[in-house]
Amino acid sequence: MTEETNKNGPDADAAEAYAAEAQEDQAQAEAETEAEGGEGDALDALRAENADLRDRFLRLAADMDNLRRRTDREIKDAKSYAVTGFARDMLSVSDNLRRAIESLPEEARTGADAAVTALIEGVEMTERGMLATMERHGIRKIEPVGQKFDPNFHQAMFEVPNPDVANNTVVQVVQAGYAIGERVLRPAMVGVAKGGPKAEAAEDAAKA
């Protein structure tokens, strides 16, 4: 036996061995704890990344849906209003047809010969056909007589004193107006009533 062994005996060796084993167990436990902590951090990082990707996906889906709706609306508007410029130019043709019809007095038409009557009927038929074609393309004639004056669709040219008609009621059309879809192609030039009751009062009286 060594001097140390003789001094402390076999119990000292056992204590040292136990201490060394306990130290190894503690080190292993600490290593396992660190490993578990690392796995937890990695899992949290993956969850955070997944949440970020999901948020990005939802935003992208919303953007794509808005883009689709906007594109559909633009395509619809393009189809509806593609003929706006052409239609506006054709209004002068429609006006001239109407002027040609109105230029002949009724008594002249009554006493006209067959050729003149056929010509007048041909012009009227041409006007009706033109208006029907315009309607098929979404162009409609504004019929404002009897309606409340609307600056979005009407252009007031003069006032007509009339105490029996509500103020700002359209009573005469100087030039026909047209609309395409929800847009005004040309406002109707009109005369409006003046001197009658306010439109609101007249509406209330009519309801009563």
Side-chain angles (χ1 to χ4, degrees):
M1 294 184 179
T2 63
E3 183 179 356
E4 185 67 26
T5 302
N6 291 333
K7 183 178 179 181
N8 298 321
D11 291 338
D13 292 338
E16 290 178 359
Y18 179 78
E21 184 178 354
Q23 187 176 2
E24 290 178 359
D25 291 343
Q26 183 179 358
Q28 183 177 358
E30 291 176 354
E32 291 176 354
T33 301
E34 291 179 358
E36 291 177 357
E39 291 177 357
D41 292 342
L43 184 59
D44 290 341
L46 287 174
R47 287 174 177 170
E49 183 179 359
N50 181 64
D52 181 62
L53 290 174
R54 183 173 182 276
D55 182 66
R56 291 185 182 182
F57 173 77
L58 292 176
R59 290 177 181 272
L60 178 60
D63 290 341
M64 292 300 295
D65 187 55
N66 291 335
L67 177 61
R68 179 185 59 79
R69 292 180 181 181
R70 185 166 61 251
T71 301
D72 290 343
R73 184 170 61 252
E74 290 175 353
I75 292 175
K76 182 179 179 180
D77 288 346
K79 290 180 179 179
S80 299
Y81 304 117
V83 297
T84 298
F86 174 75
R88 187 174 288 112
D89 291 339
M90 292 304 294
L91 292 183
S92 60
V93 179
S94 177
D95 292 339
N96 289 334
L97 289 173
R98 174 46 43 186
R99 293 189 187 100
I101 295 171
E102 293 176 348
S103 64
L104 193 64
E106 185 62 30
E107 55 273 14
R109 294 185 58 176
T110 303
D113 57 26
V116 175
T117 300
L119 176 61
I120 296 172
E121 291 176 351
V123 173
E124 291 176 338
M125 186 179 299
T126 301
E127 182 193 35
R128 288 193 299 270
M130 182 177 179
L131 292 176
T133 301
M134 293 172 69
E135 287 182 1
R136 285 199 299 273
H137 290 278
I139 303 164
R140 58 184 175 82
K141 189 176 182 180
I142 298 174
E143 303 289 351
V145 174
Q147 297 180 359
K148 182 180 178 180
F149 176 78
D150 185 348
N152 296 314
F153 293 92
H154 313 144
Q155 181 177 346
M157 304 301 295
F158 53 86
E159 293 179 328
V160 180
N162 191 333
D164 300 326
V165 179
N167 265 337
N168 291 327
T169 298
V170 177
V171 294
Q172 186 176 345
V173 178
V174 178
Q175 185 181 64
Y178 291 87
I180 179 170
E182 299 299 324
R183 301 179 186 177
V184 175
L185 192 61
R186 186 181 72 186
M189 297 183 179
V190 301
V192 296
K194 178 184 179 182
K198 291 184 178 180
E200 293 80 2
E203 292 176 358
D204 293 340
K207 292 178 181 180

